[in-house]
């Protein structure tokens, strides 16, 4: 369906700033900015002209410390926040030449419901905690135009079974579940419409180690079975090492290094990446 030689997602010069900016900081010169903050006008540059490509059936890791811009990047991609400037293209969407950041709100809703799946660090952002797990998945399916109750119920049960939610708990509300189970319901919901791209934002943070391992195994199995493209954000390089084919390293809103995950782990070039890798060893 997708040309494996071409990126499924292309991001060009994505910029997200909080504040108007000024003549001192608008060119993003490191001499005038303290980390990602302008001391003159108080503008924060959460993402500073970020560019990368994600290929079909690839897992691309995004790693960096808290405040590096990783989660802001994900929120911009999923339209939870508007970008300040930049371009993004999805293979096959409007002949691959429509900048999704400038699309109408109706088209953005279509993209969210059909082309992207999102799994948040905080399950409360991705799930309706008082709905049943089946109801959460039905909500996503309804958003994409489904109206057949039998189909939606069957699809929900299939997906929840695939993420190891017991049948007798499928009609239970996620508020009664453990953190690991809530993440698995989120993953099932994100996959409900077979999106080509899955966005995963710090999905193992705060989980016990054994639960983390189960969630990571599930993500690897999904990628292997469905050949889905994934953008995986984490501050934990060990998570990225397990999952990612290629890795982007972010610091202060910028990409400072990128390459094959093995290459970055074995021969990091940037001092910050070297520090990250050293802390992992």
């Amino acid at each position: 369906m997708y040309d494996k030689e071409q990126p499924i997602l292309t991001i060009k010069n994505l910029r997200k700033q909080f504040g108007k900016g000024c003549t001192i900081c608008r060119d993003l010169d490191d001499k005038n900015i303290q980390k990602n903050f302008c001391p003159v006008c108080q503008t924060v540059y959460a993402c500073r002209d970020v560019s990368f490509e994600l290929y079909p059936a690839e897992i691309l890791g995004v790693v960096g410390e808290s405040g590096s811009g990783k989660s802001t990047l994900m929120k911009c991609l999923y339209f939870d926040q508007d970008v300040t400037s930049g371009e993004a293209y999805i293979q096959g969407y409007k002949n691959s030449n429509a900048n999704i950041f400038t699309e109408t709100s109706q088209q953005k809703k279509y993209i969210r419901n059909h082309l992207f799946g999102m799994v948040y660090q905080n399950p409360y952002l991705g799930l309706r905690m008082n709905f049943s797990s089946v109801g959460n998945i039905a909500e996503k399916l309804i958003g994409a135009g489904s109206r057949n109750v039998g189909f939606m119920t069957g699809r929900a049960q299939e997906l929840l079974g695939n993420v190891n939610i017991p049948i007798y708990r499928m009609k239970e509300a996620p508020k009664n579940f453990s953190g690991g189970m809530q993440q698995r319901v989120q993953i099932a919901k994100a996959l409900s419409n077979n999106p080509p791209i899955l966005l995963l934002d710090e999905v193992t943070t705060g989980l016990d180690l054994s639960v983390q391992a189960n969630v990571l195994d599930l993500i690897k199995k999904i990628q292997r079975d469905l050949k889905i493209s994934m953008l995986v954000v984490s501050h934990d390089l060990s998570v990225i090492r397990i999952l990612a084919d290629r890795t982007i390293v972010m610091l202060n809103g910028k990409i400072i290094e990128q390459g094959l995950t093995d290459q970055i782990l074995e021969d990091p070039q940037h001092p910050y990446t070297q520090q990250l890798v050293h802390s992992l060893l």
Side-chain angles (χ1 to χ4, degrees):
M1 181 181 176
Y2 292 96
D3 183 348
K4 292 185 178 180
E5 301 300 315
Q6 299 297 320
I8 194 165
L9 177 66
T10 302
I11 307 298
K12 296 181 179 178
N13 300 317
L14 187 160
R15 184 182 295 193
K16 176 61 178 178
Q17 66 191 63
F18 298 93
K20 293 183 177 179
C22 65
T23 54
I24 301 294
C25 64
R26 277 190 193 129
D27 63 356
L28 300 182
D29 189 333
D30 282 336
K31 295 174 187 172
N32 300 326
I33 296 176
Q34 295 177 0
K35 294 189 173 179
N36 63 350
F37 174 74
C38 175
V40 177
C41 68
Q42 317 292 301
T43 295
V44 174
Y45 290 93
C47 288
R48 299 164 62 182
D49 294 350
V50 171
S51 300
F52 64 87
E53 296 171 333
L54 173 68
Y55 285 84
E58 177 185 42
I59 299 182
L60 179 62
V62 184
V63 70
E65 64 188 18
S66 220
S68 62
K70 312 180 304 296
S71 289
T72 298
L73 167 66
M74 296 293 256
K75 288 172 184 171
C76 288
L77 289 179
Y78 201 58
F79 310 124
D80 286 335
Q81 293 181 352
D82 292 329
V83 298
T84 304
S85 60
E87 302 170 46
Y89 303 93
I90 298 173
Q91 187 186 145
Y93 175 73
K94 293 191 175 179
N95 297 318
S96 310
N97 59 14
N99 178 7
I100 64 172
F101 292 145
T102 57
E103 289 287 74
T104 64
S105 58
Q106 187 176 5
Q107 284 302 117
K108 287 178 179 178
K109 187 176 179 182
Y110 171 86
I111 293 166
R112 275 175 67 121
N113 283 329
H114 291 86
L115 303 180
F116 283 145
M118 178 69 168
V119 182
Y120 294 92
Q121 175 182 348
N122 182 351
Y124 279 77
L125 295 175
L127 297 173
R128 292 186 184 269
M129 287 296 172
N130 292 316
F131 281 26
S132 69
S133 298
V134 169
N136 268 281
I137 291 171
E139 179 189 36
K140 181 84 170 174
L141 291 167
I142 289 167
S146 293
R147 294 294 179 267
N148 185 308
V149 174
F151 165 76
M152 290 189 286
T153 302
R155 177 69 174 148
Q157 290 175 342
E158 174 196 356
L159 286 161
L160 290 166
N162 289 344
V163 298
N164 302 319
I165 301 296
I167 290 174
Y168 68 90
R169 301 199 72 178
M170 288 181 182
K171 293 188 177 177
E172 201 172 333
K175 67 180 181 182
N176 299 332
F177 292 171
S178 67
M181 285 181 72
Q182 288 174 352
Q183 289 299 52
R184 298 206 303 272
V185 175
Q186 257 208 110
I187 290 169
K189 183 176 182 177
L191 292 171
S192 57
N193 294 318
N194 295 313
I197 301 166
L198 192 61
L199 307 173
L200 300 157
D201 187 10
E202 300 274 14
V203 291
T204 59
T205 299
L207 302 178
D208 292 340
L209 285 176
S210 60
V211 179
Q212 278 191 33
N214 289 337
V215 172
L216 293 174
D217 284 344
L218 174 62
I219 292 167
K220 287 170 70 176
K221 182 179 186 301
I222 288 166
Q223 200 277 334
R224 190 168 59 245
D225 293 349
L226 302 180
K227 306 298 185 210
I228 195 168
S229 302
M230 297 187 185
L231 193 63
V232 179
V233 159
S234 181
H235 67 277
D236 186 345
L237 205 51
S238 61
V239 169
I240 298 299
R241 176 167 65 177
I242 290 168
L243 294 178
D245 305 301
R246 287 189 304 123
T247 296
I248 288 167
V249 183
M250 289 188 71
L251 181 66
N252 300 328
K254 291 194 302 184
I255 294 176
I256 57 167
E257 189 164 353
Q258 58 183 307
L260 295 173
T261 302
D262 289 346
Q263 177 187 5
I264 282 182
L265 287 170
E266 290 169 15
D267 187 24
Q269 300 299 306
H270 193 280
Y272 173 72
T273 316
Q274 292 169 358
Q275 183 185 341
L276 265 184
V277 171
H278 181 70
S279 69
L280 179 64
L281 297 175

